[in-house]
Amino acid sequence: MSFDRRIKIAPSILSADFADFGREIRAIEEQGADWVHVDVMDGHFVPNLTFGPPAVKAFRPHVSTVMDVHLMIAPVDPYIDAFAEAGADIITAHVEAGPHIHRTLQAIRATGARAGVALNPGTPAEAVAHVLDLVDLVCVMTVNPGFGGQSFLDMTGKIRALRTMIGDRPVHIEVDGGVTPETAPLVARAGADALVAGSAVFKGGSVAKAGVYGENIRAIRQAAELATGQAA
């Protein structure tokens, strides 16, 4: 996975048809998704319950891009190896999920996966200042984690602060929550380059109408690229 700061769209399959994940994943990739975002929730750290390692392992053969696995679970350390073995390319843990985020990130890197750290809306950018050399991605939550379809919370100040802190390190800034063609320019201008979108990608489409996914992905990408001068 080579590093660049071009805008990447990472549809969250939390908004896909749960009875047809394989074809849904292939459809979003064929329609231009850069990454496939998998939201893992435990009903404890967040008020919802979604996927475990067996589900991620089942998704893996259908993902030809990057499988971006976001662990909204606590404790997180006992499950890192299982998600890595299931085929996650990126494993992101929350700084709030345990007392030793440095140790958690070391454990993720030890599996060979790329390491991400996530920040809830109430957590300041400075919480990750001392682990930036251990991460490949910082995920800024722009909703309170736990459910899809929530309204966007403006975290552009936090994103700008992270962008300054990261400097020239090869670290992506990902934004997760409420991303639409209207909000994408705000976070892209602030410095985000990986945009997670669930309902904004899947709304109105289906495996049988996959072209709608493509239209939605292009709308988000174009809005972000225009805002950052990346548009062709």
Side-chain angles (χ1 to χ4, degrees):
M1 193 172 88
S2 60
F3 182 85
D4 66 71
R5 294 200 188 280
R6 289 176 294 183
I7 296 296
K8 286 159 284 295
I9 308 300
S12 167
I13 60 170
L14 194 63
S15 296
D17 178 355
F18 274 38
D20 206 2
F21 276 122
R23 292 202 300 164
E24 290 275 52
I25 289 167
R26 294 194 298 274
I28 56 173
E29 289 191 334
E30 288 165 4
Q31 293 296 325
D34 300 289
W35 297 355
V36 174
H37 190 82
V38 181
D39 288 306
V40 174
M41 306 181 186
D42 65 357
H44 167 69
F45 181 68
V46 293
N48 200 357
L49 191 63
T50 59
F51 313 115
V56 172
K57 184 176 181 179
F59 303 153
R60 178 72 261 183
H62 303 282
V63 178
S64 61
T65 56
V66 172
M67 187 157 61
D68 174 28
V69 177
H70 179 187
L71 301 184
M72 288 169 269
I73 65 175
V76 65
D77 291 6
Y79 301 97
I80 289 169
D81 286 349
F83 282 103
E85 289 165 9
D89 294 303
I90 303 169
I91 297 176
T92 297
H94 273 254
V95 72
E96 309 89 358
H100 303 294
I101 189 60
H102 191 285
R103 178 182 294 159
T104 298
L105 294 168
Q106 285 180 317
I108 294 171
R109 296 185 78 84
T111 69
R114 304 229 172 186
V117 62
L119 296 166
N120 283 337
T123 303
E126 291 73 21
V128 297
H130 298 290
V131 295
L132 290 176
D133 290 324
L134 280 176
V135 302
D136 300 284
L137 176 149
V138 179
C139 176
V140 177
M141 297 302 299
T142 42
V143 297
N144 285 296
F147 295 98
Q150 295 184 71
S151 297
F152 176 82
L153 300 175
D154 187 352
M155 294 288 141
T156 49
K158 185 188 297 187
I159 296 166
R160 284 193 293 270
L162 285 165
R163 189 69 204 82
T164 299
M165 288 163 56
I166 287 166
D168 61 0
R169 294 177 178 90
V171 176
H172 297 291
I173 298 177
E174 180 174 72
V175 169
D176 186 354
V179 172
T180 66
E182 292 69 43
T183 59
L186 304 176
V187 297
R189 273 195 298 266
D193 61 273
L195 309 183
V196 177
S199 51
V201 167
F202 287 94
K203 66 178 182 183
S206 65
V207 167
K209 296 191 296 180
V212 175
Y213 297 162
E215 293 168 10
N216 293 339
I217 289 168
R218 286 189 292 276
I220 297 167
R221 189 190 306 279
Q222 288 168 4
E225 288 180 345
L226 283 170
T228 55
Q230 295 182 39

